C-alpha cells in the first residue's frame, strides 16, 4: 500500500479513484468519512487520502493523477511558500499549512 495523493475534497478523491480504476489500478480512500468532522480534528487529517494497493503501480498512478489534475479547469491558486496548487476557496495551503493570499 502506498499513498499517491491527498485530495482537497472527497469529490476530488472520487474522481481520482474513478480515473485510476479505469486504468486497472486498485485504490483505497482513507479519511473518506472525516469531512463532517472538520473542526474536531486537525485539518490535514480530514483530507481524503488515496492509497494504491500495489506499490509497483504507484508511479503510474501519480502520473495518471497529475494528468487528471492538469485536465481539470478550476479556480486554483499556487502557494507562494511551497508552490503547491490549492483550490481557490482555501484559506491556507493544504501542503504546508501557511496562509494563502486572496
Ligand atoms: Zn504551501
Amino acid at each position: 500500500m502506498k499513498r499517491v495523493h491527498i485530495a482537497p475534497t472527497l469529490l476530488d478523491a472520487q474522481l481520482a479513484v474513478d480515473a485510476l480504476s479505469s486504468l486497472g489500478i486498485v485504490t483505497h480512500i482513507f479519511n473518506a468519512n472525516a469531512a463532517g468532522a472538520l473542526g474536531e480534528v486537525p485539518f490535514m487529517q480530514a483530507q481524503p487520502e488515496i492509497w494504491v494497493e500495489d506499490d509497483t503501480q504507484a508511479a503510474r498512478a501519480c502520473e495518471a493523477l497529475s494528468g487528471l489534475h492538469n485536465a481539470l479547469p478550476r479556480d486554483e491558486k499556487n502557494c507562494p511558500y511551497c508552490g503547491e496548487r490549492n483550490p481557490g476557496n482555501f484559506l491556507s495551503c493544504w501542503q504546508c499549512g501557511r496562509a494563502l493570499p486572496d
Side-chain angles (χ1 to χ4, degrees):
M1 291 275 283
K2 193 163 175 155
R3 191 179 71 189
V4 295
H5 187 57
I6 300 175
T9 67
L10 187 54
L11 180 63
D12 284 275
Q14 198 60 57
L15 283 172
V17 165
D18 287 349
L20 292 178
S21 67
S22 73
L23 296 173
I25 300 174
V26 179
T27 56
H28 300 275
I29 300 178
F30 290 130
N31 291 337
N33 298 318
L38 279 178
E40 295 172 25
V41 294
F43 186 60
M44 283 301 291
Q45 290 182 18
Q47 307 270 104
E49 297 182 355
I50 298 164
W51 290 68
V52 171
E53 176 93 32
D54 182 350
D55 286 14
T56 62
Q57 290 187 317
R60 193 164 157 246
C62 285
E63 200 173 308
L65 287 174
S66 67
L68 178 73
H69 277 252
N70 291 337
L72 285 175
R74 53 185 303 160
D75 182 24
E76 288 185 327
K77 51 192 173 190
N78 290 320
C79 175
Y81 303 102
C82 71
E84 190 59 49
R85 288 198 300 175
N86 287 268
N89 61 343
F90 271 37
L91 297 177
S92 60
C93 175
W94 69 264
Q95 174 76 14
C96 70
R98 297 195 217 199
L100 292 168
D102 290 330

